[in-house]
Amino acid sequence: MDYEGQKLSENLFCYIIIAFGAVGWVIGYFHQDFTYVFYLWSVGMVISVVLCVPDWPFFNRHPVQWLDSVPDRRNKGKKKNLI
């Protein structure tokens, strides 16, 4: 997962949790029952974990270009002993 994918994953997680919590709160308010809030929030948690925890391909759309490795300078001037 690249950095942009991490940002997308975190935003998806927050939006899903807030949306399901808000809908659950409204339904729970009208039914005067807190269990609706908890159940809908739990469904939102499960959906967000399934969407955000695995490394799905759409989280890897901006791969990081790493630099080439630097050769080891410690052994540059030394010769190996073959004995």
Side-chain angles (χ1 to χ4, degrees):
M1 185 180 297
D2 56 26
Y3 295 117
E4 293 295 323
Q6 288 177 0
K7 181 180 177 182
L8 176 63
S9 176
E10 184 176 352
N11 286 339
L12 274 175
F13 183 79
C14 290
Y15 294 147
I16 291 170
I17 296 299
I18 290 171
F20 275 85
V23 169
W25 185 84
V26 170
I27 292 172
Y29 178 78
F30 285 116
H31 287 277
Q32 292 296 307
D33 191 4
F34 184 73
T35 56
Y36 287 108
V37 179
F38 178 72
Y39 290 149
L40 277 172
W41 179 78
S42 298
V43 168
M45 283 294 293
V46 169
I47 290 172
S48 63
V49 166
V50 168
L51 284 177
C52 298
V53 171
D55 191 15
W56 297 107
F58 60 88
F59 290 134
N60 294 316
R61 288 187 287 181
H62 307 284
V64 176
Q65 300 296 324
W66 299 99
L67 297 175
D68 293 333
S69 63
V70 177
D72 193 11
R73 294 185 293 173
R74 290 180 284 172
N75 296 330
K76 189 174 184 180
K78 297 179 183 177
K79 293 183 181 180
K80 291 184 178 180
N81 293 331
L82 299 176
I83 301 176

